[in-house]
Amino acid sequence: MPFRKFVARLAAATLSAACLAAAAADPFPAKEIRIVVPWNAGGSNDISARAIAQLAAEDGIRMIVENVPGATGSIGMTKVANAEPDGYTVGMGTSSTLALIAQGLTPLKNDRFVPIARVTTDPLILLVPAGSPHDTLEKFIAHVKQNPGKVSIGTPGSNNLNHIFAVMTGRVAGVETLAVPYTGGSKVIADLAGKQIQAGVLKPSESKSQIDGGLVKPIAVFGNERLKTMPDVPTFKEKGYDVFPYGPLVQMAYLVAPAGTPPAIREKLTAMFSKYIQHPKFKATSEAGGALVDDLTGASLGREVDAVTRSLSEVGKKVFVAEKK
């Protein structure tokens, strides 16, 4: 081999090795991480994402929260699925978007993402405006019975868990309700406080400020047990109303990265986000708002996501198909 060519190849190999060494020495993340929240600002998922970003900032890690609302989370999550799988874009998946996936109402599929960590699981509650004459569950159900198909119940998104419970509220009364979809919980709570709608199905975390401010009133929990943060609010179950006739349902928020994200980067993302989700400040704030925080991550989270999707598929067939007939 000519000496000049040998020297050129040696130089190229040396440069390549130097680049690899520099890349290995360059810790992830080397730039800001974008958290796509597929809902309006001010909702519970947005609040959680910003709380995580604030904790990350204390470690010198910059995270930018980007709100991309629309189509019950599908628009924002599509942006995540199409992003470069380099670890610098993650998304906040929710049971609401899973409901659309389960019913084939979006081109998205779970295999377009890799699971990182669950953020919260959230009970849902039924609220009415402050001063409503139907300010107990019994009074509200009686009102629904007397006005079939006319009682408006706001929900963040449609064909999701909130929508399911809005429908089931009518079912336990033996009639239909009028579900009104919004692009996020903050929109629902604003119209509910302004008495533009008669009720709303929301998470405690996205309505607590308005509850504390006396603008809205929770009248029932869609669950089997009362909430520690709202001990005076009864459950549908204890009042004799079954809103889970087709099996249990869970409302959750969780972080994912685009499919194809390298395993090493996924591990770093999981460790990083788990640290902030398990941080005492985050847990205390979340639990004060009625949400639950656990340590479900990676493959275990993926199995939970698939299980919730299957459950929502079955419930969707029984609730929404029947609703359209």
Side-chain angles (χ1 to χ4, degrees), residues 122-126 153 155 160-172 177 201 221-223 236 242-245 247-251 315 319-320:
D122 299 85
L124 294 175
I125 54 178
L126 181 67
I153 302 180
T155 63
N160 57 10
L161 208 56
N162 303 69
H163 189 171
I164 287 171
F165 286 141
V167 172
M168 293 311 302
T169 299
R171 295 280 179 90
V172 298
T177 54
V201 178
V221 178
F222 293 96
F236 274 81
D242 184 8
V243 289
F244 297 103
L249 295 168
V250 59
Q251 176 71 32
V315 174
V319 173
F320 297 124

Side-chain angles (χ1 to χ4, degrees), residues 219-232:
I219 60 172
V221 178
F222 293 96
N224 295 325
E225 298 179 359
R226 294 194 181 197
L227 303 180
K228 292 180 180 179
T229 55
M230 299 180 182
D232 297 329

Side-chain angles (χ1 to χ4, degrees), residues 26-35 48-49 51-64 86-90 115-119 255 261 263-279 282 297-298:
D26 188 17
F28 177 88
K31 60 180 182 179
E32 69 273 5
I33 294 174
R34 189 172 302 275
I35 305 175
S48 292
I52 290 171
Q54 185 173 356
L55 290 170
E58 295 177 5
D59 283 344
I61 298 172
R62 189 179 179 207
M63 295 186 182
I64 299 173
D86 56 6
Y88 290 104
T89 300
V90 298
I116 301 301
R118 182 150 69 183
V119 180
L255 291 165
T261 301
I265 297 299
R266 287 160 54 182
E267 289 178 8
K268 289 182 179 180
L269 285 172
T270 299
M272 181 192 309
F273 281 104
S274 293
K275 174 184 178 180
Y276 302 130
I277 292 168
Q278 297 304 316
H279 194 287
F282 183 82
T297 62

Side-chain angles (χ1 to χ4, degrees), residues 148-305:
K150 296 180 180 179
V151 176
S152 56
I153 302 180
T155 63
S158 61
N159 288 79
N160 57 10
L161 208 56
N162 303 69
H163 189 171
I164 287 171
F165 286 141
V167 172
M168 293 311 302
T169 299
R171 295 280 179 90
V172 298
V175 298
E176 298 298 321
T177 54
L178 180 62
V180 183
Y182 289 78
T183 56
S186 60
K187 299 284 188 181
V188 178
I189 200 73
D191 274 8
L192 184 64
K195 301 183 179 179
Q196 302 301 308
I197 49 178
Q198 297 178 64
V201 178
L202 294 163
K203 301 173 187 176
S205 55
E206 60 196 350
S207 51
K208 188 176 186 304
S209 295
Q210 289 76 11
I211 293 171
D212 293 344
L215 299 175
V216 298
K217 179 182 179 181
I219 60 172
V221 178
F222 293 96
N224 295 325
E225 298 179 359
R226 294 194 181 197
L227 303 180
K228 292 180 180 179
T229 55
M230 299 180 182
D232 297 329
V233 181
T235 67
F236 274 81
K237 181 179 180 179
E238 70 185 75
K239 293 296 183 178
Y241 301 117
D242 184 8
V243 289
F244 297 103
Y246 310 119
L249 295 168
V250 59
Q251 176 71 32
M252 65 178 181
Y254 57 99
L255 291 165
V256 295
T261 301
I265 297 299
R266 287 160 54 182
E267 289 178 8
K268 289 182 179 180
L269 285 172
T270 299
M272 181 192 309
F273 281 104
S274 293
K275 174 184 178 180
Y276 302 130
I277 292 168
Q278 297 304 316
H279 194 287
K281 287 182 181 178
F282 183 82
K283 294 183 75 171
T285 301
S286 299
E287 291 170 0
L292 303 175
V293 178
D294 58 30
D295 59 354
L296 197 64
T297 62
S300 297
L301 172 59
R303 288 190 289 271
E304 176 78 352
V305 168

Side-chain angles (χ1 to χ4, degrees), residues 89-171:
T89 300
V90 298
M92 185 82 80
T94 66
S95 296
S96 293
T97 308
L98 287 182
L100 297 193
I101 293 173
Q103 297 166 73
L105 297 176
T106 172
L108 284 175
K109 303 292 182 184
N110 288 335
D111 60 12
R112 296 194 65 187
F113 308 98
V114 291
I116 301 301
R118 182 150 69 183
V119 180
T120 56
T121 55
D122 299 85
L124 294 175
I125 54 178
L126 181 67
L127 303 105
V128 296
S132 169
H134 321 296
D135 60 354
T136 67
L137 183 57
E138 293 89 346
K139 291 179 182 179
F140 188 79
I141 294 298
H143 176 59
V144 171
K145 285 182 178 179
Q146 294 166 5
N147 298 274
K150 296 180 180 179
V151 176
S152 56
I153 302 180
T155 63
S158 61
N159 288 79
N160 57 10
L161 208 56
N162 303 69
H163 189 171
I164 287 171
F165 286 141
V167 172
M168 293 311 302
T169 299
R171 295 280 179 90

